[in-house]
Amino acid sequence: MLVLHSVHFDKEIPHWRTLMEEIRINVLVLVTLGKVKYTVNGQPIIAERGDLLVLPKGVRRAGENDESGLHQKYTILFHCGADVAEAIPFLRGNGPTLFKPRNFETVRRKFEQLFLESREAKSYSSFISLGVLQELLGMLAREFEQPEVSPMKMKYAQKIQQYLLEHYREQVQINELASLIRRSPNYTISIYREVTGHSPIRYLHQLRIIEACNLLLNSDMSISSISSYLGYYDTSYFFRIFKKQTSYSPSEFAVNGRLMEQSGGFV
């Protein structure tokens, strides 16, 4: 069992502070700017930009701004059953876990997506949010168990990822990505897969399908127009990729979304 309770975004709040208390819910904290100071079970923890802090339920914690200045962070609060806690390595213990996700930008976007879904009363929001949370926990668990990679490899992967985020609607070629880091195409694919767990092209498709889902539910664009807009000039290929990513065809997803709107959404 997995239940999303709430998602928050703290943006440079002056005099931010939380009192010492035992928390009754699991908490994920992703710091996106500056530093934040915590005391957890009597131990000081400094989380800085790029850090993920896991606070399992039952720990005692207090928090405040670091002396270096204000900070920004996302916070996800959720409940989970014993089966989920046992499956996720950083939820098994009774203490905090602090680590740097290698795929920081992807993780940040997942936090951001959950925050936006929690603020916008759109159809499928609860369903999508639960799926994003499950994917996020799985992604973080995989990274947590993988050995560390060198800073240079991390830098290469982040540079590739940022380029894909900015150009995902275009016809991106592996040679273009290879030229970004001045390495061979094979090395580029290999290093990106080593750092993120998947290929650059798979990530490109993920970005496109996330946008396609949004357009199907929240625009009047036709499926063929969405396909072309996202760089799929063969609509049948778009259908295949969409179904592979979501288990629905675009038309099924659009119809189900309209039905959910008419019935008032998920119960």
Side-chain angles (χ1 to χ4, degrees), residues 163-174:
Y163 185 85
L164 292 172
L165 285 166
E166 295 172 357
H167 300 274
Y168 68 92
R169 289 174 48 205
E170 303 171 14
Q171 298 300 305
V172 178
Q173 304 296 326
I174 292 298

Side-chain angles (χ1 to χ4, degrees), residues 147-159:
E148 292 186 6
V149 297
S150 69
M152 184 57 69
K153 289 182 178 180
M154 181 73 72
K155 181 180 179 180
Y156 286 159
Q158 290 174 344
K159 192 169 186 177

Side-chain angles (χ1 to χ4, degrees), residues 6 17 23 43 55 62-65 73 76-77 91 104 109 113 131 134 173 176 189 196 218 227 246 251:
S6 58
R17 179 187 297 270
I23 59 176
Q43 299 297 317
L55 301 174
E64 60 183 334
N65 283 326
K73 68 178 182 298
I76 298 174
L77 287 71
L91 295 178
F104 171 73
R109 285 173 65 89
Q113 184 180 3
Q134 289 175 321
Q173 304 296 326
E176 296 176 56
I189 296 172
T196 68
N218 301 294
S227 173
T246 68
S251 54

Side-chain angles (χ1 to χ4, degrees), residues 112-228:
E112 180 183 42
Q113 184 180 3
L114 278 173
F115 175 72
L116 294 176
E117 287 289 347
S118 70
R119 293 295 183 271
E120 300 174 359
K122 295 181 178 179
S123 60
Y124 277 101
S125 283
S126 60
F127 183 76
I128 291 174
S129 294
L130 183 59
V132 173
L133 178 58
Q134 289 175 321
E135 182 181 5
L136 177 61
L137 288 174
M139 179 190 306
L140 294 173
R142 178 181 291 170
E143 289 204 11
F144 183 76
E145 292 187 333
Q146 289 177 340
E148 292 186 6
V149 297
S150 69
M152 184 57 69
K153 289 182 178 180
M154 181 73 72
K155 181 180 179 180
Y156 286 159
Q158 290 174 344
K159 192 169 186 177
I160 293 167
Q161 188 172 78
Q162 186 60 41
Y163 185 85
L164 292 172
L165 285 166
E166 295 172 357
H167 300 274
Y168 68 92
R169 289 174 48 205
E170 303 171 14
Q171 298 300 305
V172 178
Q173 304 296 326
I174 292 298
N175 286 338
E176 296 176 56
L177 303 180
S179 67
L180 287 175
I181 61 174
R182 299 181 180 179
R183 293 293 185 271
S184 71
N186 286 341
Y187 181 85
T188 299
I189 296 172
S190 175
I191 198 171
Y192 191 84
R193 191 187 299 276
E194 180 182 348
V195 173
T196 68
H198 52 258
S199 70
I201 298 305
R202 180 182 173 187
Y203 181 62
L204 180 72
H205 287 312
Q206 288 177 345
L207 292 174
R208 288 178 173 182
I209 298 308
I210 289 171
E211 181 67 8
C213 290
N214 177 57
L215 293 172
L216 285 167
L217 295 178
N218 301 294
S219 80
D220 57 2
M221 293 176 67
S222 67
I223 292 175
S224 61
S225 296
I226 292 173
S227 173
S228 178

Side-chain angles (χ1 to χ4, degrees), residues 40-68:
V40 184
N41 291 343
Q43 299 297 317
I45 294 177
I46 302 295
E48 62 183 15
R49 184 185 186 279
D51 283 343
L52 180 88
L53 175 63
V54 183
L55 301 174
K57 70 175 183 178
V59 304
R60 291 182 56 80
R61 70 92 181 90
E64 60 183 334
N65 283 326
D66 185 70
E67 290 84 352
S68 60

